[in-house]
């Protein structure tokens, strides 16, 4: 079983739509969680950290469910510029916990 | 310019050749990381370093060598390149092993093709 699993998509949504991505992780001891965004042929960039109580950054809302070991990302009022791949990231199972990345969910926002 | 830079951006090399990918960061971050990204596998950790002269293996270290003589540089060497090492390589840095606020910051990547 992969440490981080994501639906690869693509999710094709019209501009203005609300879209949600889920991610499951296998390490119940993971302490840190992030969503990264990666544009085509570019480096991953931090979108937001995910905190236990859930957090919001503008149109983006992240939730963490430790009991079920999943993380979600909700994007409201989608923009064309939101088209990208969204990577779910958690700390891994090693003794020195490092970040381990999901394979990403691709989002395509259309007119 | 402040940041993390990788060179070269693109590289084509032949099977069996040695090739070195460079990574330089100006923040004096303690931790540096090398990942490779392949379709269907996402980002996989090759090696990481906690400080100068301290390196450790990641998930996929075979065929790679790293060194870190200075805090700001973390070169990755493919000793004898193979076609399976064709990939996009990303270097990253962080002040701590996991910075809960900012995660890792990545360089712009090196696209390596082994022919």
């Amino acid at each position: 079983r992969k440490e981080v699993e994501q639906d690869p998509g693509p999710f094709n949504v019209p501009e203005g739509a609300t879209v949600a991505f889920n991610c499951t992780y296998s390490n119940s001891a993971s302490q840190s969680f992030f969503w990264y965004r990666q544009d085509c042929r570019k480096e991953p960039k931090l979108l937001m950290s995910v905190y236990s109580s859930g957090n919001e950054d503008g149109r983006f809302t992240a939730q963490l469910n430790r009991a079920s070991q999943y993380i979600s990302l909700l994007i409201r009022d989608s923009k064309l510029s939101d088209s990208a791949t969204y990577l779910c990231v958690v700390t891994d199972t090693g003794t020195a916990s490092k970040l381990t990345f999901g394979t990403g969910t691709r989002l395509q926002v259309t007119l | 310019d402040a940041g993390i830079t990788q060179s070269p951006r693109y590289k084509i090399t032949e099977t069996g050749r040695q090739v070195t990918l460079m990574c330089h960061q100006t923040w004096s971050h303690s931790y540096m990381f090398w990942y490779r990204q392949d379709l269907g596998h996402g980002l996989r950790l090759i090696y990481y370093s906690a400080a100068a002269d301290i390196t450790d293996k990641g998930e996929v270290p075979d065929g790679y060598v790293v060194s870190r003589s200075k805090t700001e540089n973390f070169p990755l060497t493919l000793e004898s390149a193979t076609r399976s090492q064709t990939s996009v390589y990303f270097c990253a840095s962080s002040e701590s092993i996991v910075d809960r606020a900012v995660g890792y910051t990545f360089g712009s990547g090196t696209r390596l093709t082994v022919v």
Side-chain angles (χ1 to χ4, degrees):
Chain A
R1 182 185 172 189
K2 288 184 178 178
E3 289 195 50
V4 181
E5 300 213 38
Q6 296 183 251
D7 181 342
F11 284 59
N12 294 299
V13 303
E15 218 178 3
T18 295
V19 61
F21 308 135
N22 287 331
C23 158
T24 58
Y25 60 94
S26 61
N27 179 17
S28 60
S30 290
Q31 293 295 318
S32 298
F33 310 89
F34 307 88
W35 281 102
Y36 271 72
R37 171 196 168 123
Q38 186 173 26
D39 293 296
C40 189
R41 302 178 76 84
K42 299 280 191 179
E43 73 273 24
K45 291 184 178 177
L46 179 68
L47 177 66
M48 57 196 303
S49 302
V50 186
Y51 299 109
S52 298
S53 56
N55 48 299
E56 191 173 302
D57 183 2
R59 296 181 294 108
F60 299 85
T61 300
Q63 296 283 347
L64 169 63
N65 185 319
R66 285 188 183 271
S68 300
Q69 293 179 215
Y70 81 78
I71 307 158
S72 64
L73 177 68
L74 182 77
I75 305 175
R76 291 182 301 277
D77 189 23
S78 298
K79 311 288 185 193
L80 292 174
S81 57
D82 293 334
S83 298
T85 296
Y86 291 83
L87 307 175
C88 176
V89 185
V90 307
T91 43
D92 69 10
T93 55
T95 52
S97 293
K98 301 167 293 298
L99 296 187
T100 191
F101 289 74
T103 53
T105 298
R106 195 155 70 86
L107 171 66
Q108 184 66 51
V109 181
T110 57
L111 285 171
Chain B
D1 288 341
I4 181 166
T5 55
Q6 293 184 237
S7 60
R9 288 296 306 275
Y10 303 90
K11 178 74 177 178
I12 300 174
T13 192
E14 293 178 337
T15 300
R17 292 207 181 248
Q18 182 181 84
V19 61
T20 296
L21 310 183
M22 304 302 292
C23 180
H24 174 79
Q25 52 106 353
T26 60
W27 295 301
S28 298
H29 283 166
S30 297
Y31 286 85
M32 295 187 76
F33 308 84
W34 274 107
Y35 285 86
R36 59 177 289 174
Q37 186 173 35
D38 305 288
L39 202 60
H41 289 283
L43 284 149
R44 291 181 291 174
L45 183 65
I46 305 170
Y47 270 97
Y48 69 102
S49 168
D53 298 321
I54 301 175
T55 62
D56 209 345
K57 295 179 180 179
E59 181 186 353
V60 289
D62 293 344
Y64 303 94
V65 174
V66 293
S67 62
R68 193 157 176 216
S69 57
K70 292 184 178 181
T71 300
E72 61 266 31
N73 297 323
F74 191 37
L76 176 74
T77 298
L78 288 68
E79 294 186 295
S80 178
T82 65
R83 289 194 181 88
S84 65
Q85 292 177 311
T86 292
S87 187
V88 181
Y89 292 85
F90 287 104
C91 179
S93 73
S94 176
E95 179 52 36
S96 59
I97 186 71
V98 175
D99 185 321
R100 293 190 182 189
V102 298
Y104 300 164
T105 303
F106 285 84
S108 53
T110 294
R111 292 185 173 273
L112 176 69
T113 302
V114 183
V115 298

